[in-house]
Amino acid sequence: MNPATIQMITAKILHGRRNDMSAISGGLQKLENAPVAELVDRLLDQAIRTRASDIHIEPQGEMLRIRFRIDGELCEMHELPMGVHAFLISRIKIISSLDITEKRLPQDGRFLYAYQGRNIDVRVSTMPILQGEKIVLRLLNAADRLLAIDELGFSSTNKKIFYDLCHKSHGLILNTGPVNSGKTTTLYAALSELNEVNKNIVTLEDPVEYCLPGINQIQVTQKGKLTFPIGLRSVLRQDPNIIMVGEIRDGETAEIAVRAALTGHLVFSTLHTNNALGSIFRLLDMGIEPYLLAASLQGVLAQRLVRQICPACREAYTVLADSREAAFLGTCYRAGLQLQRGRGCPECNGTGYRGRLAIHEFLLLEDDFRLALQSGADLLQLREIACRNMVMMPADGREKILSGQTTVAEVVRAVYDSGCGKNG
C-alpha cells in the first residue's frame, strides 16, 4: 500500500469517519512525511479521547478491524484495508522495542505516548493468529488522579466496613473479582489512605500500574528471579508495617502472606474468585490450614464494575409490573416505580452509558464464622452464617439502580454472568 493511501485512511480516522472511503476527497491536507506514524498517532488520540482502555488491531481476512474497549465493552471503530496491516504492525513494534522480524511468537513491549501534556503508558501485546498478527494496546494514563475511598462508590455501610478494615493493626484483607474489575484502584485507594511518614508500606506488583509517592513499590518478574514468593520473603526483612501483594497466585505466596498477617503485618492482596466466600475455599485449596486462615483473615471484598448511565442523555421511564426488571428488583419494586436509562447520544457513542462504578459485597470474619471455618464447615454452612451480616452484591446493585446510577441490565450482566448472584 502506498503512502498516499495510508494518508487517506489517516485522514478518515482523524475526522472520525468509519467505513466511508468515498467520503475522502482528493484535496486532503498534506500530512507529515511519516503517514504510518501519523496513522498510529491518530488511533491513539482517538482512543484517549473516547476514554478507551484498550485498542485491538485484528486481521480479519480481507479487512483489518480496529476495536476500542470503552467502559469495559468492545466497540468496533474502523474497518481498514488489509494492506495497511503490515505497516501498522511494524510501526508499533519499532516504538515498543520489539523484534519486527518475529511473526510466529507472542511478544510484549511498551512505550510512552505524549498527549496534551500527559504521558500515556502504552502496554503492547502481539499474538500470531490464523489471519496474521493481532496487536492489543493497553492505555494507562500516568497522570490520572488516584481515587480516595470516598470516591469508590461504596454504600455508606460498605464504606465504613472498608475504612475500618484498612485501619486494622494486622491481618489479611482480600479483594476479589475478575480481571478489570477495579481491584487495583481499590487497593491503591486503601494504601493512599494509610500512607503516612511513620509507616513503611511496600507493594509487590506485576506490573506496577501507577507510581504511589512515599510507598516502596516492587516490580516482580514471574519469568525472572524476583517472583512473588521470593519478593515477599525479602520484604518481610525490610521492617514493613503494611504489605500489598498484587495477586496470590499459588500456595507458596498464600502461605507467606498468611504468616505475615499473623506476625503483626497488615497485608492486602487480590484473588480471582467469583464472590467473597469463594476466596475462603480457594485459599483452602491452596493448602492453607483452616485454623491459620481463621486466625489471619480479617475480611474479603468482592467487586464488579458496571457502566454508569450517560448524564447527557439520561431519561426516566416507568417499570412495568410484569417485566423482568420488576422481578429482579423483588421487594424493592412498587407500582409506578420510575428508573433511569440512557437514550444514546454522541457523548456516549450511542450506548446510553458513560463511565463505570463498582458494586460490592463484604465478608467479615466474625467469631461464629471463624469457629465454623476451624471446625471444617462446608460451603452451605459458611454461606448461611456469612449472609446473616453481609450485604450481597445483587442487593448493592439494586441500591445503585434505584439511585439512578446504573441499570438493571448492567447489574444482571455483571453479577449473574459471573456466578456471584446466588442467594442475593
Side-chain angles (χ1 to χ4, degrees), residues 17-121:
R17 298 190 182 102
R18 294 181 67 249
N19 306 324
D20 188 14
M21 295 298 292
S22 62
I24 303 174
S25 65
L28 292 174
Q29 179 181 1
K30 186 176 181 180
L31 300 175
E32 296 180 4
N33 294 326
V36 179
E38 186 73 12
L39 176 56
V40 173
D41 289 349
R42 295 289 71 79
L43 285 172
L44 288 167
D45 289 348
Q46 187 182 26
I48 296 166
R49 286 197 306 271
T50 57
R51 302 169 296 102
S53 61
D54 302 86
I55 303 173
H56 290 243
I57 302 174
E58 306 165 309
Q60 299 286 307
E62 297 181 354
M63 63 88 178
L64 183 67
R65 182 171 66 178
I66 310 293
R67 294 192 291 174
F68 293 174
R69 188 174 293 280
I70 303 172
D71 294 334
E73 296 292 312
L74 278 173
C75 308
E76 185 172 316
M77 303 300 292
H78 304 284
E79 289 184 359
L80 307 181
M82 268 301 294
V84 78
H85 177 246
F87 294 98
L88 272 177
I89 297 293
S90 296
R91 171 62 183 171
I92 294 171
K93 283 184 175 181
I94 288 171
I95 60 179
S96 308
S97 301
L98 300 180
D99 184 356
I100 63 172
T101 65
E102 179 57 72
K103 303 179 188 299
R104 295 173 295 178
L105 294 174
Q107 299 186 71
D108 295 307
R110 64 191 298 177
F111 63 91
L112 284 178
Y113 181 70
Y115 178 81
Q116 297 182 354
R118 295 178 286 161
N119 282 328
I120 309 298
D121 185 11

Side-chain angles (χ1 to χ4, degrees), residues 217-237:
Q217 295 174 270
I218 301 169
Q219 170 79 55
V220 304
T221 53
Q222 292 299 105
K223 296 181 180 178
K225 296 182 179 180
L226 184 55
T227 61
F228 275 117
I230 293 173
L232 188 50
R233 286 196 185 92
S234 298
V235 164
L236 291 173
R237 295 191 289 270

Side-chain angles (χ1 to χ4, degrees), residues 190-215:
L191 296 182
S192 297
E193 168 71 24
L194 299 170
N195 190 10
E196 298 175 357
V197 69
N198 63 341
K199 294 177 181 175
N200 179 21
I201 303 177
V202 186
T203 75
L204 290 160
E205 304 174 66
D206 181 24
V208 174
E209 298 287 359
Y210 296 101
C211 179
L212 300 174
I215 292 176

Side-chain angles (χ1 to χ4, degrees), residues 265-373:
H265 304 91
L266 185 61
V267 182
F268 294 89
S269 192
T270 69
L271 274 175
H272 291 298
T273 59
N274 284 334
N275 50 45
L277 194 57
S279 62
I280 302 290
F281 292 90
R282 176 66 58 83
L283 290 172
L284 293 175
D285 288 342
M286 287 181 176
I288 303 301
E289 294 292 339
Y291 74 93
L292 291 177
L293 188 57
S296 61
L297 187 61
Q298 296 284 358
V300 184
L301 164 65
Q303 65 181 68
R304 297 289 185 277
L305 291 179
V306 295
R307 292 180 293 175
Q308 289 180 289
I309 298 169
C310 174
C313 63
R314 64 188 303 125
E315 64 179 8
Y317 71 100
T318 301
V319 179
L320 300 177
D322 58 350
S323 66
R324 293 183 178 179
E325 292 171 310
F328 175 77
L329 293 172
T331 57
C332 297
Y333 174 78
R334 63 183 185 277
L337 175 68
Q338 287 197 324
L339 298 180
Q340 299 288 316
R341 64 186 175 194
R343 294 188 308 274
C345 68
E347 290 290 322
C348 59
N349 297 314
T351 64
Y353 299 98
R354 183 174 174 84
R356 291 191 288 177
L357 77 155
I359 55 176
H360 309 92
E361 70 180 21
F362 267 109
L363 169 63
L364 290 178
L365 271 73
E366 306 289 357
D367 289 342
D368 54 351
F369 190 93
R370 294 182 193 277
L371 289 172
L373 178 58

